[in-house]
């Protein structure tokens, strides 16, 4: 009887032992990327939305490099867009497009051929 009581005390005491944490801190995972360009104090690798994760997988070098490449590509396209807007607003036009207005008014004045060319260019840039 004493053995049964002691065993039940030991079993009930085990219920209060903290469970082992299976999750891994993202700060520890970010150490692999701590020497990358753009990772700096005080934030370190700043990824509040968890974009670097693919499903349940933690930070992945391949995903990091892919997102870095896409960020550079889309940044360059955005910079070209700003330069194009400013050049057009300054009055510089391609031959044959002198009658197209500057700014947002140009969207309605573009011929169908120009729309098709823009869509083909965008598709080619995204496929690259």
């Amino acid at each position: 009887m004493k053995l049964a009581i002691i065993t039940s005390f030991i079993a009930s005491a085990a219920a209060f032992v903290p469970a082992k944490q299976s999750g891994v801190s993202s700060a520890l995972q970010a150490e692999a990327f701590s020497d990358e360009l753009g990772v700096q104090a005080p934030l370190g690798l700043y990824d509040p939305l968890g974009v670097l994760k693919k499903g349940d997988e933690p930070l992945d070098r391949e995903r990091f490099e892919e997102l870095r490449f896409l960020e550079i590509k889309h940044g360059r396209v955005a910079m070209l867009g700003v330069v194009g807007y400013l050049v057009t607003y300054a009055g510089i036009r391609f031959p044959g497009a002198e009658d197209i207005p500057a700014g947002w008014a140009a969207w309605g004045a573009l011929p169908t051929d120009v729309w098709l060319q823009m869509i083909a260019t965008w598709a080619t840039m995204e496929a690259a």
Side-chain angles (χ1 to χ4, degrees):
M1 183 69 175
K2 291 181 184 179
L3 182 61
I5 293 174
I6 292 173
T7 308
S8 66
F9 280 135
I10 292 172
S12 64
F16 295 103
V17 174
K20 184 176 179 180
Q21 298 283 336
S22 63
V24 180
S25 170
S26 62
L28 295 175
Q29 295 172 355
E31 287 181 8
F33 299 97
S34 63
D35 59 344
E36 294 293 334
L37 183 66
V39 178
Q40 55 190 350
L43 299 177
L45 179 64
Y46 187 67
D47 186 27
L49 300 178
V51 176
L52 290 176
K53 295 180 183 177
K54 227 180 204 179
D56 292 336
E57 297 177 16
L59 300 177
D60 183 15
R61 172 62 65 179
E62 182 180 336
R63 178 80 173 144
F64 181 81
E65 295 297 332
E66 176 189 2
L67 289 174
R68 174 171 279 177
F69 170 75
L70 291 174
E71 180 180 12
I72 291 170
K73 180 175 84 168
H74 290 119
R76 289 176 180 166
V77 170
M79 288 186 277
L80 284 172
V82 168
V83 169
Y85 183 85
L86 294 174
V87 167
T88 305
Y89 198 76
I92 301 170
R93 304 284 196 277
F94 285 116
E98 292 87 7
D99 57 338
I100 295 177
W104 294 106
W107 286 104
L110 291 177
T112 306
D113 293 343
V114 175
W115 278 106
L116 295 175
Q117 181 183 9
M118 283 193 323
I119 291 171
T121 303
W122 293 335
T124 303
M125 287 190 302
E126 282 299 316

